[in-house]
């Protein structure tokens, strides 16, 4: 069953300006070490950061809290599954909210779709509750 849906559009130029103006102060406030490492290795650095920024915003919407109620930017990390598919690793307040949303006998599954078409980056996040025992090992 679907528990939350979030979407976000992010202007890549805005992220590019923040990177230029604030540098590490911006990236360290918003992104995890793993996200910074991945984005900083890319030639298209700003679009990579913008996709992740949009994913965090979309996730906060899907959680139903926005960036409040103990949910912070770095509580949501865009990571890739072994096949390359993006998902989100939640910690801190975001993980606590996810657990609070989950009905008994269910486990969370977070679906993420990321794209960009300059000047915009876009993300969709769906939080699903899957009955225990239905996940493949």
């Amino acid at each position: 069953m679907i528990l939350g849906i979030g979407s976000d559009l992010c202007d890549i130029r805005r992220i590019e300006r923040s990177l230029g103006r604030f540098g590490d102060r911006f990236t360290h406030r918003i992104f995890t070490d793993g996200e910074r490492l991945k984005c900083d290795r890319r030639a298209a650095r700003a679009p990579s950061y913008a996709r992740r920024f949009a994913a965090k915003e979309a996730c906060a919407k899907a959680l139903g809290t926005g960036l409040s109620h103990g949910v912070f930017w770095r509580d949501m990390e865009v990571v890739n599954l072994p096949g390359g598919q993006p998902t989100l690793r939640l910690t801190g307040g975001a993980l606590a909210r996810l657990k609070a949303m989950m009905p008994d006998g269910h486990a969370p599954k977070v679906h993420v779709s990321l794209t960009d078409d300059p000047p915009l980056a876009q993300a969709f996040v769906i939080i699903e509750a899957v009955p225990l025992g239905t996940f493949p090992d």
Side-chain angles (χ1 to χ4, degrees):
M1 98 183 66
I2 294 175
L3 299 179
I5 299 173
S7 68
D8 192 66
L9 279 174
C10 178
D11 190 325
I12 296 168
R13 297 167 297 191
R14 181 175 146 228
I15 299 299
E16 198 165 39
R17 284 191 304 269
S18 293
L19 289 169
R21 184 172 179 195
F22 302 109
D24 286 348
R25 208 169 79 203
F26 170 68
T27 60
H28 283 74
R29 179 173 173 254
I30 306 293
F31 302 98
T32 66
D33 292 342
E35 288 172 319
R36 289 192 313 271
L37 183 66
K38 188 161 196 152
C39 292
D40 289 341
R41 287 190 307 211
R42 297 186 183 270
R45 186 172 174 242
S48 186
Y49 274 117
R51 287 189 301 273
R52 283 161 180 77
F53 188 92
K56 290 168 184 274
E57 288 273 12
C59 181
K61 292 171 185 174
L63 289 170
T65 59
L67 288 157
S68 64
H69 297 60
V71 175
F72 300 101
W73 289 107
R74 288 176 296 167
D75 290 347
M76 301 167 283
E77 179 180 21
V78 176
V79 295
N80 295 91
L81 298 173
Q85 178 183 357
T87 190
L88 283 154
R89 178 183 303 136
L90 304 184
T91 60
L95 180 58
R97 173 64 183 146
L98 180 65
K99 287 179 178 179
M101 295 171 67
M102 208 51 46
D104 289 339
H106 289 74
K109 183 165 185 179
V110 180
H111 304 272
V112 177
S113 179
L114 303 174
T115 192
D116 67 78
D117 186 8
L120 297 175
Q122 183 176 36
F124 289 97
V125 173
I126 298 173
I127 298 174
E128 179 183 15
V130 179
L132 290 175
T134 59
F135 281 116
D137 290 336

